[in-house]
């Protein structure tokens, strides 16, 4: 690909200084990648200045939430910059798009997008461990038309944000018994906007009660654990690892899959199974469940210290616990290039010279 | 309110000729209403030219579907132009906004928006019966920030489109046994984008099979009828009217409520109750269920001629049936000013002189 880049954007990329205090997803890179699709035909992608989108007021995305997205990171390693398992994100985005009748972004275009942004934004990849350049590919339906049907036109973007981990420190999670983020037969296993909109009310409610994250139950049975709003769930019981089995309502996390692989390699026994919430809370009380943690690209591995359920509060004495710490280190060591990469997860990106 | 209007927009409004063939929601009025809300404080609204919105690429609406909307109509009556029960839409929009942690558009601002657009777009209200000026108020979260939390900034718009009824003629509906548009504890009773995104796959599937609309089952029990993707459901059994009782997953339609009121006034016995899909299909087969129809602002009253379920097809001999026809006429006679308005549903709008 030959990318012609605006000299002003090149200058702002060249001169970018990563702020001391980053937060998550609020500092935006001055460049982004864009491609368009009309009636199923993709145009070539291009790197453009980060600037407001212009969208017709009747664009489908604004009314019918025809949008899906991904979350992934570029890491600074000893040898340069690398992406972590980007093929997984490309495939998951294709799956999400299909669920909402959107054209899949071709894997090659997706890869071009995330690679180009990373290559040009190398200066923006923070150097501190646990920090990285968060990449947000997203796809929106742009056709101006108010009938409830799939858009005929789409725009695909990759924007980037130098970020800290989404949740630093221990988390207090709240068992959500009322609301649901997705339905059986709904969009829970796709990364689409509506799931997140549905979860905002729960998040607002639990924040008032001093909690950080909702623990979502399965919408079908209302008593097994699915996941958190942006992370998958793990528990350690008698030294073994348990995580909810994929069931159509859970997003299949890349971090989840990677931790399962690493855990097996490290010799842990691993169970993917339905986890009943009442059993779980019971096992936390009795101490059999010694650790619980959440995981995701943004959050990495986030220990859970408290689980609230109605008026009851269940404390996990080990937070962060040894298993969470060990898995977090094993994962970050690969992502940040301190350890071998036995699974071929890291995809190096050649840095573009901006001069 | 003093509205200063762009002379070019005034000219295009003045010269607007309603096209012969309208369709639904594709011809847009050249003016729209806009108001903004920052940290819970609303700015005054204004009439502006219909033009692309500029949205930050990280705006919450694009990633987390923080959006809700309304659908209502301005009708041409003998005396001028009138809105139909706009207070209902204002209140429903406030409810939808609250479900997604958005600030409610104050009822006075909502009314100002729909009234102003109607007053200036009087030329665009079609004269044919069944046609009208469709109004689409909508509210979106605009804060550029990638964390999963409610936006701090919002934009409220009212756009307008001279339109035909959404579904003219008889409809073939498809019993959706797999997908769900919303969850128990989800957003089914709010008018938010995610519900419509979730329904696109079903709509695409049924169109391939020669059907027009999905008939959604309750996400909790999967065997009672909820509604269609943009309409409520009615059946006529032994001359009595049956419609699914509100249950938290169904959108409370203004048309549904109005038809229930009219039906009672016309002497029909009316049942709001859970309607089991298998019972319903059985009663269609036996002829006890003589009519079925859908209703909504966009669709008015749309007779259902066929219900498909897997490989089985159930035909309704009377489509349009006499009850549907009678209710449709009673409703349109009020909306288009041919009949008395005993319930005070019509709200006249004073037309703005554009000269
Ligand atoms: C709902 C949900 N579950 C789980 C995850 C974790 O997935 P991943 O590890 O791929 O980031 C995410 C975030 O991406 C998410 O949004
Ligand atoms: C899901 C859904 N159900 C029902 C309706 C009918 O509601 P109303 O009669 O207020 O238009 C609509 C349309 O507005 C809708 O989107």
């Amino acid at each position: 690909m030959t990318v012609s880049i605006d000299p002003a954007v090149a200058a702002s990329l060249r001169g970018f200084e990563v702020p001391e205090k980053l937060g998550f997803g609020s500092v935006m890179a001055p460049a982004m990648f864009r491609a368009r699709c009309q009636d199923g035909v993709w145009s070539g992608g291009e790197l453009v200045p980060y600037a407001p989108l212009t969208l017709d007021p009747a664009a489908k995305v604004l009314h019918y939430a025809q949008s899906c997205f991904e979350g992934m990171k570029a890491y600074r390693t000893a040898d340069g910059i690398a992406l972590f398992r980007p093929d997984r994100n490309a495939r998951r985005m294709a799956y999400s798009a299909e669920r909402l009748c959107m054209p899949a972004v071709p894997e090659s275009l997706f890869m071009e997008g995330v690679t180009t942004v990373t290559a040009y934004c190398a200066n923006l990849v923070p150097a501190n461990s646990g920090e990285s350049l968060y990449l947000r590919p997203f796809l929106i339906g742009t056709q101006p038309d108010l009938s409830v049907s799939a858009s005929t036109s789409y725009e695909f973007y990759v924007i980037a944000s130098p970020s800290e981990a989404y949740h630093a420190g221990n988390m207090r999670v709240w068992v959500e018994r009322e609301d649901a983020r997705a339905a059986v037969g709904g969009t829970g296993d796709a990364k689409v906007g509506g799931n997140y909109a549905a979860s905002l009310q729960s998040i607002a409610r639990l924040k008032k009660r001093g909690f950080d994250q909702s623990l979502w139950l399965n919408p079908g049975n209302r008593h097994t654990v699915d996941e958190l709003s942006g992370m998958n769930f793990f528990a350690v019981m008698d030294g073994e690892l348990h995580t909810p089995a994929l069931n159509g309502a859970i997003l299949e996390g890349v971090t989840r899959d990677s931790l399962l692989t690493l855990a097996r390699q490290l010799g842990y026994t691993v169970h993917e199974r339905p986890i009943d919430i009442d059993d779980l809370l019971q096992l936390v009380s009795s101490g059999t469940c010694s650790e619980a943690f959440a995981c995701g690209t943004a959050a990495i591995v986030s220990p859970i210290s408290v689980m609230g359920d109605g008026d009851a509060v269940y404390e996990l004495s080990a937070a962060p616990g040894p298993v969470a710490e060990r898995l977090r280190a094993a994962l970050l060591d690969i992502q940040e290039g301190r350890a071998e990469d036995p699974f071929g997860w890291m995809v190096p990106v050649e840095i573009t010279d901006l001069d």
Side-chain angles (χ1 to χ4, degrees), chain A residues 92 181 191 196 227-232 251 253-255 296-297:
Chain A
R92 188 168 67 187
R181 62 182 283 284
K191 207 161 164 65
Y196 301 85
E227 59 181 325
L228 291 83
S229 301
M231 308 166 212
N232 293 112
L251 191 78
V254 179
T255 316
T297 296

Side-chain angles (χ1 to χ4, degrees), chain A residues 160-231:
Chain A
S161 170
S163 291
E164 307 170 0
Y166 191 34
H167 271 278
N170 295 337
M171 288 194 308
R172 298 167 58 88
V173 307
W174 167 260
V175 179
E176 180 55 63
R177 300 262 183 189
E178 276 177 57
D179 283 6
R181 62 182 283 284
V184 174
T187 55
D189 64 353
K191 207 161 164 65
V192 302
N195 301 341
Y196 301 85
S199 55
L200 294 175
Q201 170 174 278
S202 169
I203 296 172
R205 220 155 39 197
L206 69 84
K207 292 238 150 123
K208 286 206 194 104
R209 302 184 70 147
F211 289 83
D212 302 308
Q213 282 280 321
S214 315
L215 185 62
W216 295 100
L217 302 181
N218 185 266
N221 61 43
R222 306 300 284 256
H223 66 78
T224 59
V225 173
D226 272 351
E227 59 181 325
L228 291 83
S229 301
M231 308 166 212

Side-chain angles (χ1 to χ4, degrees), chain A residues 45-92:
Chain A
E46 48 185 349
L47 194 74
V48 296
Y50 186 90
L53 314 186
T54 56
L55 280 177
D56 192 282
K60 300 266 189 188
V61 60
L62 300 176
H63 301 264
Y64 306 131
Q66 208 189 11
S67 69
C68 64
F69 68 93
E70 272 303 320
M72 49 198 294
K73 284 178 173 173
Y75 298 87
R76 192 171 287 286
T77 68
D79 306 330
I81 310 270
L83 297 170
F84 182 71
R85 308 184 77 182
D87 54 311
R88 284 256 164 178
N89 297 93
R91 289 209 300 276
R92 188 168 67 187

Side-chain angles (χ1 to χ4, degrees), chain A residues 144-160:
Chain A
D145 173 72
L146 297 178
S147 63
V148 181
S149 58
S151 181
T152 52
S153 55
Y154 295 88
E155 294 181 6
F156 168 59
Y157 292 91
V158 182
I159 58 177

Side-chain angles (χ1 to χ4, degrees), chain A residues 248-261:
Chain A
I250 297 179
L251 191 78
E252 182 172 359
V254 179
T255 316
R256 174 186 181 279
D257 182 80
S258 306
L259 292 183
L260 287 173
T261 303

